[in-house]
Coordinates of all heavy atoms in Angstrom, one line a residue:
M266 N 7.1 7.0 13.9 CA 5.9 6.7 13.1 C 6.0 7.4 11.8 O 6.4 8.5 11.7 CB 4.7 7.1 13.9 CG 3.4 6.9 13.1 SD 1.9 7.1 14.1 CE 1.9 8.9 14.4
A267 N 5.6 6.7 10.7 CA 5.5 7.3 9.4 C 4.4 8.3 9.4 O 3.3 8.1 9.8 CB 5.3 6.2 8.4
S268 N 4.7 9.5 8.9 CA 3.6 10.5 8.8 C 2.9 10.4 7.4 O 3.4 9.7 6.5 CB 4.3 11.9 8.9 OG 5.0 12.2 7.7
D269 N 1.8 11.1 7.3 CA 1.1 11.1 6.0 C 2.0 11.7 4.9 O 2.0 11.2 3.8 CB -0.2 12.0 6.1 CG -1.2 11.4 7.0 OD1 -1.0 10.4 7.6 OD2 -2.3 12.1 7.2
D270 N 2.8 12.7 5.3 CA 3.7 13.3 4.3 C 4.8 12.3 3.8 O 5.1 12.2 2.7 CB 4.4 14.5 4.9 CG 3.5 15.7 5.0 OD1 2.4 15.7 4.4 OD2 3.8 16.6 5.8
D271 N 5.3 11.5 4.8 CA 6.3 10.5 4.4 C 5.7 9.5 3.4 O 6.4 9.1 2.4 CB 6.8 9.7 5.6 CG 7.7 10.6 6.6 OD1 8.2 11.6 6.1 OD2 7.8 10.2 7.7
I272 N 4.6 8.9 3.7 CA 4.0 7.9 2.9 C 3.5 8.5 1.6 O 3.7 7.9 0.5 CB 2.8 7.2 3.6 CG1 3.4 6.4 4.8 CG2 2.0 6.3 2.7 CD1 2.3 5.9 5.7
D273 N 3.0 9.7 1.6 CA 2.6 10.4 0.4 C 3.8 10.7 -0.5 O 3.8 10.5 -1.7 CB 1.9 11.7 0.7 CG 1.3 12.4 -0.5 OD1 0.6 11.6 -1.3 OD2 1.5 13.6 -0.7
R274 N 4.9 11.0 0.1 CA 6.2 11.3 -0.6 C 6.6 10.0 -1.3 O 7.1 10.0 -2.4 CB 7.2 11.8 0.4 CG 8.3 12.6 -0.3 CD 9.3 13.4 0.6 NE 9.3 13.0 2.0 CZ 8.7 13.7 3.0 NH1 8.0 14.8 2.7 NH2 8.7 13.4 4.3
L275 N 6.5 8.9 -0.6 CA 6.9 7.6 -1.1 C 6.1 7.3 -2.4 O 6.6 6.9 -3.4 CB 6.7 6.4 -0.1 CG 6.8 5.0 -0.6 CD1 8.2 4.7 -1.0 CD2 6.3 4.0 0.5
F276 N 4.8 7.4 -2.3 CA 3.9 7.2 -3.5 C 4.2 8.2 -4.6 O 4.1 7.8 -5.8 CB 2.4 7.1 -3.1 CG 2.1 5.8 -2.4 CD1 1.9 5.7 -1.1 CD2 1.9 4.7 -3.2 CE1 1.6 4.5 -0.5 CE2 1.6 3.5 -2.6 CZ 1.4 3.4 -1.2
R277 N 4.4 9.4 -4.3 CA 4.8 10.4 -5.3 C 6.0 10.0 -6.0 O 6.2 10.1 -7.2 CB 4.9 11.8 -4.7 CG 3.6 12.6 -4.8 CD 3.7 14.0 -4.4 NE 3.8 13.9 -3.0 CZ 4.5 14.7 -2.2 NH1 5.2 15.7 -2.7 NH2 4.6 14.6 -0.9
G278 N 7.0 9.5 -5.2 CA 8.3 9.0 -5.8 C 8.1 7.9 -6.8 O 8.7 7.8 -7.9
V279 N 7.2 7.0 -6.4 CA 6.9 5.8 -7.3 C 6.2 6.4 -8.6 O 6.5 6.0 -9.7 CB 5.9 4.8 -6.6 CG1 5.4 3.8 -7.6 CG2 6.7 4.2 -5.5
T280 N 5.3 7.3 -8.4 CA 4.6 7.8 -9.6 C 5.6 8.5 -10.5 O 5.5 8.4 -11.7 CB 3.5 8.9 -9.1 OG1 2.6 8.2 -8.3 CG2 2.7 9.4 -10.3
E281 N 6.5 9.3 -9.9 CA 7.5 10.0 -10.8 C 8.4 9.0 -11.5 O 8.8 9.2 -12.7 CB 8.3 10.9 -9.9 CG 7.6 12.1 -9.4 CD 8.3 12.9 -8.4 OE1 9.5 12.6 -8.1 OE2 7.7 13.8 -7.8
R282 N 8.7 7.9 -10.9 CA 9.6 6.9 -11.5 C 8.9 6.2 -12.7 O 9.6 5.9 -13.7 CB 10.0 5.7 -10.5 CG 11.1 6.1 -9.7 CD 11.6 4.9 -8.9 NE 10.7 4.8 -7.7 CZ 10.7 3.8 -6.9 NH1 11.5 2.8 -7.1 NH2 10.0 3.8 -5.8
I283 N 7.6 6.1 -12.7 CA 6.9 5.5 -13.8 C 6.4 6.5 -14.8 O 5.8 6.1 -15.8 CB 5.7 4.5 -13.3 CG1 4.7 5.3 -12.6 CG2 6.3 3.4 -12.5 CD1 3.4 4.5 -12.3
G284 N 6.6 7.8 -14.6 CA 6.1 8.8 -15.5 C 4.7 9.3 -15.2 O 4.2 9.0 -14.2
G285 N 4.1 10.0 -16.2 CA 2.8 10.5 -16.0 C 1.8 9.4 -15.8 O 2.0 8.3 -16.3
V286 N 0.7 9.7 -15.1 CA -0.3 8.6 -14.8 C -1.6 9.1 -15.3 O -2.0 10.2 -15.3 CB -0.3 8.3 -13.3 CG1 1.0 7.7 -12.8 CG2 -0.7 9.5 -12.4
D287 N -2.4 8.1 -15.7 CA -3.8 8.4 -16.2 C -4.7 8.3 -14.9 O -4.3 8.1 -13.8 CB -4.2 7.4 -17.2 CG -4.2 5.9 -16.8 OD1 -4.3 5.7 -15.5 OD2 -4.0 5.0 -17.6
D288 N -6.0 8.6 -15.2 CA -7.0 8.6 -14.1 C -7.1 7.3 -13.3 O -7.2 7.3 -12.1 CB -8.3 9.1 -14.6 CG -8.4 10.5 -15.0 OD1 -7.5 11.3 -14.5 OD2 -9.3 10.9 -15.7
G289 N -7.1 6.2 -14.1 CA -7.2 4.9 -13.4 C -6.0 4.6 -12.5 O -6.1 4.1 -11.4
T290 N -4.8 5.0 -13.0 CA -3.6 4.8 -12.2 C -3.6 5.7 -10.9 O -3.3 5.3 -9.8 CB -2.3 5.1 -13.0 OG1 -2.3 4.2 -14.1 CG2 -1.1 4.9 -12.2
H291 N -4.1 6.9 -11.2 CA -4.2 7.9 -10.0 C -5.2 7.3 -9.0 O -4.9 7.4 -7.8 CB -4.6 9.3 -10.5 CG -4.7 10.3 -9.4 ND1 -5.9 10.5 -8.7 CD2 -3.7 11.0 -8.9 CE1 -5.6 11.4 -7.8 NE2 -4.3 11.8 -7.9
R292 N -6.3 6.8 -9.4 CA -7.3 6.2 -8.5 C -6.7 5.0 -7.7 O -6.9 4.9 -6.5 CB -8.5 5.8 -9.2 CG -9.5 6.9 -9.5 CD -10.8 6.4 -10.0 NE -10.8 5.6 -11.2 CZ -10.7 6.1 -12.5 NH1 -10.8 7.3 -12.7 NH2 -10.7 5.2 -13.5
M293 N -5.9 4.2 -8.4 CA -5.2 3.1 -7.8 C -4.3 3.5 -6.7 O -4.2 3.0 -5.6 CB -4.5 2.2 -8.8 CG -3.9 1.0 -8.2 SD -5.0 -0.1 -7.4 CE -6.0 -0.7 -8.7
F294 N -3.4 4.5 -7.0 CA -2.5 5.1 -6.1 C -3.3 5.7 -4.9 O -2.8 5.5 -3.7 CB -1.5 6.1 -6.7 CG -0.4 5.4 -7.3 CD1 -0.2 5.6 -8.7 CD2 0.5 4.7 -6.6 CE1 0.9 5.0 -9.3 CE2 1.6 4.1 -7.2 CZ 1.8 4.3 -8.6
R295 N -4.3 6.3 -5.1 CA -5.2 6.9 -4.1 C -5.7 5.8 -3.2 O -5.6 5.9 -1.9 CB -6.3 7.7 -4.7 CG -7.3 8.3 -3.7 CD -6.8 9.2 -2.6 NE -6.0 10.2 -2.9 CZ -5.1 10.8 -2.0 NH1 -5.1 10.4 -0.8 NH2 -4.3 11.8 -2.4
L296 N -6.2 4.7 -3.8 CA -6.7 3.5 -3.0 C -5.5 3.0 -2.1 O -5.7 2.7 -1.0 CB -7.2 2.5 -3.9 CG -7.8 1.2 -3.3 CD1 -9.1 0.8 -3.9 CD2 -6.8 0.1 -3.4
L297 N -4.4 2.8 -2.7 CA -3.2 2.3 -2.0 C -2.9 3.2 -0.8 O -2.6 2.7 0.3 CB -2.0 2.1 -2.9 CG -2.2 1.0 -4.0 CD1 -0.9 1.0 -4.9 CD2 -2.4 -0.3 -3.4
L298 N -2.9 4.5 -1.1 CA -2.5 5.5 0.0 C -3.5 5.4 1.1 O -3.2 5.4 2.3 CB -2.4 6.9 -0.7 CG -2.0 8.0 0.3 CD1 -0.7 7.7 1.0 CD2 -2.0 9.3 -0.4
E299 N -4.8 5.5 0.7 CA -5.8 5.5 1.8 C -5.8 4.2 2.6 O -6.0 4.3 3.8 CB -7.2 5.7 1.1 CG -7.4 7.1 0.6 CD -8.7 7.3 -0.2 OE1 -9.4 6.4 -0.5 OE2 -8.9 8.5 -0.6
T300 N -5.6 3.1 1.9 CA -5.6 1.8 2.6 C -4.3 1.8 3.6 O -4.4 1.3 4.7 CB -5.5 0.6 1.6 OG1 -6.6 0.7 0.8 CG2 -5.5 -0.7 2.3
T301 N -3.2 2.3 3.1 CA -2.0 2.3 3.9 C -2.2 3.2 5.1 O -1.8 2.8 6.3 CB -0.8 2.9 3.1 OG1 -0.7 2.1 1.9 CG2 0.4 3.0 3.9
L302 N -2.8 4.4 5.0 CA -3.0 5.3 6.1 C -4.0 4.7 7.1 O -3.8 4.8 8.3 CB -3.5 6.6 5.6 CG -2.5 7.4 4.8 CD1 -3.1 8.7 4.3 CD2 -1.2 7.7 5.6
K303 N -5.0 4.0 6.6 CA -6.0 3.3 7.5 C -5.3 2.2 8.3 O -5.4 2.1 9.5 CB -7.2 2.8 6.8 CG -8.2 2.1 7.7 CD -9.4 1.7 7.0 CE -10.5 1.1 7.8 NZ -10.1 0.5 9.1
F304 N -4.5 1.4 7.6 CA -3.8 0.3 8.3 C -2.8 0.9 9.3 O -2.7 0.4 10.4 CB -3.0 -0.5 7.2 CG -2.1 -1.6 7.8 CD1 -2.7 -2.6 8.6 CD2 -0.8 -1.6 7.6 CE1 -1.9 -3.6 9.2 CE2 0.0 -2.6 8.2 CZ -0.5 -3.6 9.0
R305 N -2.1 2.0 9.0 CA -1.1 2.6 9.9 C -1.9 3.1 11.1 O -1.4 2.8 12.2 CB -0.4 3.8 9.2 CG 0.6 4.4 10.1 CD 0.7 5.9 9.9 NE -0.5 6.6 9.9 CZ -0.6 7.9 9.5 NH1 0.4 8.5 9.0 NH2 -1.8 8.5 9.6
D306 N -3.0 3.7 10.9 CA -3.7 4.3 12.1 C -4.3 3.2 12.9 O -4.3 3.2 14.2 CB -4.9 5.2 11.6 CG -4.3 6.5 11.0 OD1 -3.1 6.8 11.1 OD2 -5.1 7.2 10.3
D307 N -4.9 2.1 12.3 CA -5.4 1.0 13.1 C -4.3 0.3 13.8 O -4.5 -0.1 15.0 CB -6.1 0.0 12.1 CG -7.4 0.5 11.6 OD1 -7.9 1.5 12.1 OD2 -7.9 -0.2 10.6
L308 N -3.1 0.1 13.2 CA -2.0 -0.6 13.9 C -1.6 0.2 15.1 O -1.3 -0.4 16.2 CB -0.8 -0.7 12.9 CG 0.3 -1.5 13.2 CD1 -0.1 -3.0 13.4 CD2 1.4 -1.4 12.1
K309 N -1.5 1.5 15.0 CA -1.2 2.4 16.1 C -2.2 2.4 17.2 O -1.9 2.2 18.4 CB -0.9 3.8 15.6 CG -0.4 4.8 16.7 CD 0.9 4.4 17.1 CE 1.5 5.5 18.1 NZ 2.7 5.0 18.7
D310 N -3.5 2.5 16.8 CA -4.6 2.6 17.8 C -4.8 1.3 18.5 O -5.0 1.2 19.7 CB -5.9 3.0 17.1 CG -5.9 4.4 16.6 OD1 -5.0 5.2 17.0 OD2 -6.7 4.8 15.8
K311 N -4.8 0.2 17.8 CA -5.1 -1.1 18.4 C -4.0 -1.9 19.0 O -4.1 -2.6 20.0 CB -5.8 -2.0 17.3 CG -7.1 -1.5 16.8 CD -7.6 -2.4 15.7 CE -8.9 -1.8 15.1 NZ -9.4 -2.4 13.9
E312 N -2.8 -1.7 18.5 CA -1.6 -2.4 18.9 C -0.5 -1.5 19.5 O 0.5 -2.1 20.0 CB -1.1 -3.3 17.8 CG -2.1 -4.4 17.4 CD -1.6 -5.3 16.3 OE1 -0.4 -5.7 16.4 OE2 -2.4 -5.6 15.4
G313 N -0.6 -0.2 19.3 CA 0.4 0.7 19.7 C 1.7 0.5 18.9 O 2.8 0.9 19.4
L314 N 1.6 0.0 17.7 CA 2.8 -0.2 16.8 C 2.8 0.8 15.7 O 1.7 1.3 15.3 CB 2.8 -1.6 16.3 CG 2.8 -2.7 17.3 CD1 2.6 -4.1 16.7 CD2 4.1 -2.7 18.1
S315 N 3.9 1.0 15.1 CA 4.1 1.9 14.0 C 4.4 1.2 12.7 O 5.0 0.1 12.7 CB 5.3 2.9 14.3 OG 5.0 3.7 15.4
L316 N 3.8 1.7 11.6 CA 4.1 1.2 10.3 C 5.2 2.1 9.8 O 5.1 3.3 9.7 CB 2.9 1.3 9.4 CG 3.1 0.9 7.9 CD1 3.4 -0.6 7.8 CD2 1.9 1.3 7.1
T317 N 6.3 1.5 9.4 CA 7.5 2.3 8.9 C 7.4 2.5 7.4 O 6.7 1.8 6.7 CB 8.8 1.6 9.2 OG1 8.9 0.4 8.5 CG2 8.9 1.3 10.7
V318 N 8.1 3.5 6.9 CA 8.2 3.8 5.5 C 8.9 2.6 4.8 O 8.5 2.1 3.7 CB 9.0 5.1 5.2 CG1 9.3 5.2 3.7 CG2 8.1 6.3 5.7
A319 N 9.9 2.0 5.5 CA 10.6 0.8 4.9 C 9.6 -0.4 4.8 O 9.6 -1.1 3.8 CB 11.7 0.4 5.9
E320 N 8.7 -0.6 5.8 CA 7.7 -1.6 5.6 C 6.8 -1.4 4.5 O 6.4 -2.3 3.7 CB 6.9 -1.8 6.9 CG 7.7 -2.4 8.1 CD 7.0 -2.3 9.4 OE1 6.4 -1.3 9.7 OE2 7.2 -3.3 10.2
T321 N 6.4 -0.1 4.3 CA 5.5 0.3 3.2 C 6.2 0.1 1.9 O 5.6 -0.4 0.9 CB 5.1 1.8 3.4 OG1 4.5 1.9 4.7 CG2 4.1 2.2 2.3
Q322 N 7.5 0.4 1.8 CA 8.2 0.2 0.6 C 8.3 -1.3 0.3 O 8.2 -1.7 -0.9 CB 9.6 0.8 0.7 CG 10.5 0.6 -0.6 CD 9.9 1.3 -1.8 OE1 9.7 2.5 -1.8 NE2 9.6 0.5 -2.9
T323 N 8.6 -2.1 1.3 CA 8.7 -3.6 1.1 C 7.3 -4.1 0.6 O 7.3 -4.9 -0.3 CB 9.1 -4.3 2.4 OG1 10.4 -3.8 2.8 CG2 9.1 -5.8 2.3
A324 N 6.2 -3.6 1.2 CA 4.9 -4.0 0.8 C 4.7 -3.6 -0.7 O 4.1 -4.4 -1.5 CB 3.8 -3.4 1.7
L325 N 5.1 -2.4 -1.1 CA 4.9 -2.0 -2.5 C 5.7 -2.8 -3.4 O 5.1 -3.2 -4.5 CB 5.3 -0.5 -2.6 CG 5.0 0.2 -3.9 CD1 3.5 0.1 -4.3 CD2 5.4 1.6 -3.9
D326 N 6.9 -3.2 -3.1 CA 7.7 -4.1 -3.9 C 7.0 -5.4 -4.0 O 6.9 -6.0 -5.1 CB 9.1 -4.2 -3.3 CG 9.9 -3.0 -3.4 OD1 9.6 -2.1 -4.2 OD2 10.9 -2.9 -2.7
G327 N 6.4 -5.9 -2.9 CA 5.7 -7.2 -2.9 C 4.5 -7.1 -3.7 O 4.2 -8.1 -4.4
L328 N 3.8 -6.0 -3.7 CA 2.6 -5.9 -4.5 C 2.9 -5.9 -6.0 O 2.3 -6.6 -6.8 CB 1.8 -4.6 -4.2 CG 0.6 -4.3 -5.0 CD1 -0.5 -5.4 -4.8 CD2 0.0 -2.9 -4.7
M329 N 4.0 -5.3 -6.4 CA 4.5 -5.3 -7.8 C 4.8 -6.8 -8.2 O 4.5 -7.2 -9.3 CB 5.7 -4.4 -8.0 CG 5.5 -3.0 -7.8 SD 4.3 -2.3 -8.9 CE 2.9 -2.0 -7.9
E330 N 5.4 -7.5 -7.3 CA 5.7 -8.9 -7.5 C 4.4 -9.8 -7.7 O 4.3 -10.6 -8.5 CB 6.6 -9.5 -6.4 CG 7.2 -10.8 -6.7 CD 8.2 -10.8 -7.8 OE1 8.8 -9.8 -8.1 OE2 8.3 -11.9 -8.5
V331 N 3.4 -9.5 -6.8 CA 2.1 -10.2 -6.9 C 1.5 -9.9 -8.3 O 0.9 -10.8 -8.9 CB 1.2 -9.7 -5.8 CG1 -0.3 -10.2 -6.1 CG2 1.6 -10.2 -4.4
L332 N 1.6 -8.7 -8.8 CA 1.0 -8.4 -10.1 C 1.7 -9.2 -11.2 O 1.0 -9.5 -12.2 CB 1.1 -6.9 -10.3 CG 0.3 -6.0 -9.4 CD1 0.5 -4.5 -9.7 CD2 -1.2 -6.3 -9.4
K333 N 3.0 -9.5 -11.0 CA 3.7 -10.3 -12.0 C 3.4 -11.8 -11.9 O 3.3 -12.5 -12.9 CB 5.2 -10.0 -11.9 CG 5.6 -8.6 -12.3 CD 7.1 -8.5 -12.1 CE 7.5 -7.0 -12.2 NZ 8.9 -6.9 -11.8
T334 N 3.4 -12.3 -10.6 CA 3.4 -13.7 -10.4 C 2.1 -14.3 -9.9 O 1.9 -15.5 -9.8 CB 4.5 -14.1 -9.4 OG1 4.2 -13.5 -8.1 CG2 5.9 -13.6 -9.8
H335 N 1.2 -13.4 -9.4 CA 0.0 -13.8 -8.8 C 0.1 -14.5 -7.5 O -0.7 -15.3 -7.1 CB -0.9 -14.6 -9.8 CG -1.1 -13.8 -11.1 ND1 -2.1 -12.8 -11.2 CD2 -0.6 -14.0 -12.3 CE1 -2.0 -12.3 -12.4 NE2 -1.1 -13.0 -13.1
A336 N 1.2 -14.3 -6.8 CA 1.5 -14.9 -5.5 C 2.3 -13.9 -4.7 O 3.1 -13.2 -5.2 CB 2.3 -16.2 -5.7
I337 N 2.0 -13.9 -3.4 CA 2.7 -13.0 -2.5 C 4.1 -13.7 -2.2 O 4.1 -14.9 -1.8 CB 1.9 -12.8 -1.1 CG1 0.6 -12.1 -1.4 CG2 2.8 -12.0 -0.2 CD1 -0.3 -12.0 -0.2
P338 N 5.1 -13.0 -2.4 CA 6.5 -13.5 -2.2 C 6.6 -14.0 -0.7 O 6.2 -13.3 0.2 CB 7.4 -12.4 -2.5 CG 6.6 -11.4 -3.3 CD 5.2 -11.6 -2.9
S339 N 7.3 -15.1 -0.6 CA 7.4 -15.7 0.8 C 8.3 -14.9 1.7 O 8.2 -14.9 2.9 CB 8.0 -17.1 0.7 OG 9.2 -17.1 0.1
H340 N 9.2 -14.0 1.1 CA 10.0 -13.2 2.0 C 9.3 -12.0 2.5 O 9.9 -11.3 3.4 CB 11.3 -12.8 1.2 CG 11.0 -11.8 0.1 ND1 10.6 -12.2 -1.2 CD2 11.2 -10.5 0.1 CE1 10.5 -11.2 -1.9 NE2 10.8 -10.1 -1.2
I341 N 8.1 -11.7 2.0 CA 7.4 -10.6 2.6 C 6.6 -11.0 3.8 O 5.8 -11.9 3.8 CB 6.3 -10.0 1.5 CG1 7.0 -9.7 0.2 CG2 5.6 -8.9 2.1 CD1 7.9 -8.5 0.3
T342 N 7.0 -10.4 5.0 CA 6.4 -10.9 6.2 C 6.0 -9.7 7.1 O 6.1 -8.5 6.7 CB 7.5 -11.7 7.1 OG1 8.6 -10.8 7.3 CG2 8.0 -12.9 6.3
G343 N 5.4 -10.0 8.2 CA 5.0 -9.0 9.2 C 4.0 -7.9 8.6 O 3.1 -8.3 7.9
H344 N 4.2 -6.7 9.0 CA 3.3 -5.6 8.6 C 3.3 -5.4 7.1 O 2.3 -5.1 6.5 CB 3.8 -4.3 9.2 CG 3.6 -4.3 10.7 ND1 4.5 -3.6 11.5 CD2 2.8 -4.9 11.5 CE1 4.1 -3.7 12.8 NE2 3.1 -4.5 12.8
A345 N 4.4 -5.7 6.4 CA 4.5 -5.5 5.0 C 3.5 -6.5 4.3 O 2.8 -6.2 3.4 CB 5.9 -5.7 4.4
R346 N 3.6 -7.8 4.8 CA 2.7 -8.8 4.2 C 1.2 -8.5 4.5 O 0.4 -8.6 3.6 CB 3.0 -10.2 4.8 CG 2.2 -11.3 4.2 CD 2.6 -12.7 4.7 NE 2.0 -13.7 4.0 CZ 2.4 -14.2 2.9 NH1 3.5 -13.8 2.3 NH2 1.8 -15.2 2.3
T347 N 0.9 -8.0 5.7 CA -0.4 -7.7 6.0 C -0.9 -6.5 5.2 O -2.1 -6.5 4.7 CB -0.5 -7.2 7.5 OG1 -0.1 -8.3 8.3 CG2 -2.0 -6.9 7.9
L348 N -0.1 -5.6 4.9 CA -0.4 -4.4 4.0 C -0.7 -4.9 2.6 O -1.7 -4.5 2.0 CB 0.6 -3.4 4.1 CG 0.3 -2.1 3.3 CD1 -1.0 -1.5 3.7 CD2 1.5 -1.1 3.5
V349 N 0.1 -5.8 2.1 CA -0.1 -6.3 0.7 C -1.5 -7.0 0.7 O -2.2 -6.8 -0.3 CB 1.0 -7.3 0.3 CG1 0.6 -8.1 -1.0 CG2 2.3 -6.6 0.1
V350 N -1.8 -7.8 1.7 CA -3.1 -8.5 1.7 C -4.2 -7.5 1.8 O -5.2 -7.6 1.0 CB -3.2 -9.5 2.9 CG1 -4.6 -10.0 3.1 CG2 -2.2 -10.6 2.7
K351 N -4.1 -6.4 2.6 CA -5.1 -5.4 2.7 C -5.3 -4.7 1.3 O -6.4 -4.4 0.9 CB -4.8 -4.4 3.8 CG -5.0 -5.0 5.2 CD -4.9 -4.0 6.2 CE -5.2 -4.6 7.6 NZ -6.6 -5.1 7.7
W352 N -4.2 -4.4 0.6 CA -4.3 -3.7 -0.7 C -5.0 -4.6 -1.6 O -5.9 -4.2 -2.4 CB -2.9 -3.4 -1.2 CG -2.2 -2.3 -0.6 CD1 -2.7 -1.2 0.0 CD2 -0.8 -2.0 -0.6 NE1 -1.8 -0.3 0.4 CE2 -0.6 -0.8 0.0 CE3 0.3 -2.7 -1.1 CZ2 0.7 -0.3 0.2 CZ3 1.6 -2.2 -0.9 CH2 1.8 -1.0 -0.3
L353 N -4.7 -5.9 -1.6 CA -5.3 -6.8 -2.6 C -6.8 -7.0 -2.3 O -7.6 -7.0 -3.2 CB -4.6 -8.2 -2.5 CG -3.2 -8.3 -3.0 CD1 -2.6 -9.6 -2.7 CD2 -3.1 -8.0 -4.5
E354 N -7.2 -7.0 -1.0 CA -8.6 -7.0 -0.7 C -9.3 -5.8 -1.2 O -10.4 -5.8 -1.7 CB -8.8 -7.1 0.9 CG -8.3 -8.5 1.4 CD -8.3 -8.5 2.9 OE1 -8.3 -7.5 3.6 OE2 -8.1 -9.6 3.4
E355 N -8.7 -4.6 -1.0 CA -9.3 -3.3 -1.4 C -9.4 -3.3 -2.9 O -10.4 -2.8 -3.5 CB -8.6 -2.1 -0.9 CG -8.8 -1.9 0.6 CD -10.2 -1.6 0.9 OE1 -10.9 -0.9 0.2 OE2 -10.7 -2.2 1.9
I356 N -8.4 -3.7 -3.6 CA -8.4 -3.8 -5.1 C -9.5 -4.7 -5.6 O -10.3 -4.3 -6.4 CB -7.0 -4.2 -5.7 CG1 -6.0 -3.1 -5.4 CG2 -7.1 -4.5 -7.1 CD1 -4.5 -3.6 -5.6
R357 N -9.6 -5.9 -5.0 CA -10.7 -6.8 -5.4 C -12.0 -6.2 -5.1 O -12.9 -6.3 -6.0 CB -10.5 -8.1 -4.6 CG -11.5 -9.2 -5.0 CD -11.2 -10.5 -4.3 NE -10.0 -10.4 -3.6 CZ -9.5 -11.2 -2.8 NH1 -10.1 -12.3 -2.5 NH2 -8.3 -11.0 -2.2
R358 N -12.2 -5.6 -4.0 CA -13.5 -4.9 -3.6 C -13.8 -3.8 -4.6 O -15.0 -3.7 -5.0 CB -13.5 -4.4 -2.2 CG -14.8 -4.1 -1.7 CD -14.8 -3.9 -0.2 NE -13.9 -2.8 0.1 CZ -14.0 -1.9 1.0 NH1 -15.0 -2.0 1.8 NH2 -13.2 -0.9 1.2
S359 N -12.8 -3.0 -4.9 CA -13.1 -1.8 -5.8 C -13.4 -2.3 -7.3 O -14.2 -1.7 -8.0 CB -12.0 -0.8 -5.8 OG -10.8 -1.3 -6.4
V360 N -12.8 -3.4 -7.7 CA -13.0 -3.9 -9.0 C -14.4 -4.5 -9.2 O -15.0 -4.4 -10.2 CB -11.9 -4.9 -9.4 CG1 -12.2 -5.7 -10.7 CG2 -10.6 -4.2 -9.6
H361 N -14.8 -5.2 -8.1 CA -16.1 -5.9 -8.1 C -17.3 -5.0 -7.8 O -18.4 -5.4 -7.9 CB -16.1 -7.1 -7.2 CG -15.1 -8.2 -7.7 ND1 -15.3 -8.9 -8.9 CD2 -14.0 -8.7 -7.2 CE1 -14.4 -9.7 -9.1 NE2 -13.5 -9.6 -8.1
H362 N -17.0 -3.8 -7.4 CA -18.2 -2.9 -7.1 C -18.2 -1.7 -8.1 O -17.5 -1.2 -8.6 CB -18.0 -2.3 -5.7 CG -18.3 -3.4 -4.7 ND1 -17.4 -3.9 -3.8 CD2 -19.5 -4.0 -4.4 CE1 -17.9 -4.8 -3.0 NE2 -19.2 -4.9 -3.3

């Protein structure tokens, strides 16, 4: 099972790759992280399944593609696809509130 530290390390790595981040970017990463951890915990509690770091990375790559194309790539499936959808729902909710 992916730990909070593993997922946090993944997002920190992404942040480092893109350089310094402003407050809005930091809030977005926090939203992504919190949504990821909630999804991971729900998946474990309700289905007894684990969310892997690889699935989270695939979802993050998929989200970046959605931001460019406005469509979820067809090759993103399973937990990664579900996570992308959850992120998009949270982003939409946070923007509209």
Side-chain angles (χ1 to χ4, degrees):
M266 175 169 72
S268 71
D269 292 1
D270 288 342
D271 290 340
I272 294 171
D273 189 48
R274 201 169 19 256
L275 169 66
F276 281 104
R277 266 186 286 148
V279 170
T280 302
E281 289 170 8
R282 277 189 276 172
I283 62 172
V286 295
D287 59 29
D288 287 341
T290 303
H291 184 265
R292 281 192 302 275
M293 181 60 64
F294 276 119
R295 174 58 50 204
L296 179 135
L297 295 176
L298 180 59
E299 289 171 355
T300 303
T301 302
L302 295 176
K303 181 177 182 338
F304 176 61
R305 181 210 56 192
D306 293 346
D307 289 348
L308 192 61
K309 184 68 173 170
D310 293 344
K311 294 176 183 171
E312 300 180 39
L314 300 173
S315 297
L316 177 66
T317 67
V318 171
E320 289 169 323
T321 306
Q322 180 63 58
T323 298
L325 188 56
D326 291 343
L328 180 63
M329 295 298 110
E330 192 66 26
V331 168
L332 296 176
K333 292 177 191 172
T334 66
H335 303 283
I337 299 173
S339 60
H340 71 277
I341 304 291
T342 61
H344 295 147
R346 183 177 190 83
T347 302
L348 185 53
V349 170
V350 170
K351 288 188 174 298
W352 284 337
L353 293 171
E354 290 170 349
E355 287 301 314
I356 290 167
R357 184 176 350 174
R358 194 170 59 147
S359 71
V360 168
H361 292 295
H362 288 112

